Amino acid sequence: QVQLVESGGGLVQPGGSLRLSCVASGTIFSINAMGWYRQAPGKARELVATITGGGSTNYADSVKGRFTISRDGAKTTVYLQMNSLKPEDTAVYYCSLRKWASDYVRLMDYWGKGILVTVSS
């Protein structure tokens, strides 16, 4: 089993910054990628940013140049530095982890419970 615990959300004014953290625990070997997704009220969940086991990153166009995804040396904690926040960034942010199953054929996805980020004056 894999557990993902997010922290760092909250209320911030437009133009402000927040840093989200996600700590992974459990059977977390063979990680393919970790990342952040978000879901705004009334909208579908969308990708924000991902980072692969090799360190390659991918961002949604809407956050490029403002958000940065990173991880610690042990590769068990992933961060999302969010700068120049806009009201449209308001959403529940979910940490994700994708790992290889023992057969190294299937990929398995895990999700955190989510953390609320509200950008408002």
Side-chain angles (χ1 to χ4, degrees):
Q1 288 291 347
V2 173
Q3 295 81 40
L4 301 171
V5 178
E6 303 105 333
S7 62
L11 174 65
V12 63
Q13 292 186 341
S17 298
L18 278 177
R19 189 193 196 206
L20 303 183
S21 300
C22 172
V23 179
S25 61
T27 53
I28 54 174
F29 52 85
S30 303
I31 294 176
N32 175 266
M34 293 185 72
W36 293 93
Y37 289 71
R38 67 186 181 187
Q39 187 167 17
K43 295 188 177 181
R45 189 175 297 189
E46 62 177 4
L47 178 146
V48 176
T50 59
I51 184 165
T52 68
S56 298
T57 59
N58 181 49
Y59 295 93
D61 288 343
S62 59
V63 307
K64 283 180 181 176
R66 300 188 298 124
F67 291 10
T68 302
I69 189 169
S70 62
R71 63 185 179 193
D72 68 343
K75 302 180 183 180
T76 58
T77 301
V78 66
Y79 306 98
L80 185 68
Q81 179 66 43
M82 304 185 293
N83 299 328
S84 302
L85 282 160
K86 304 175 182 180
E88 51 263 43
D89 294 316
T90 295
V92 176
Y93 284 71
Y94 296 90
C95 179
S96 70
L97 183 148
R98 172 168 285 183
K99 59 174 281 188
W100 293 101
S102 57
D103 59 12
Y104 281 90
V105 174
R106 294 171 296 129
L107 286 167
M108 304 170 69
D109 291 321
Y110 298 87
W111 297 91
K113 292 183 179 180
I115 192 164
L116 180 62
V117 172
T118 303
V119 184
S120 175
S121 55

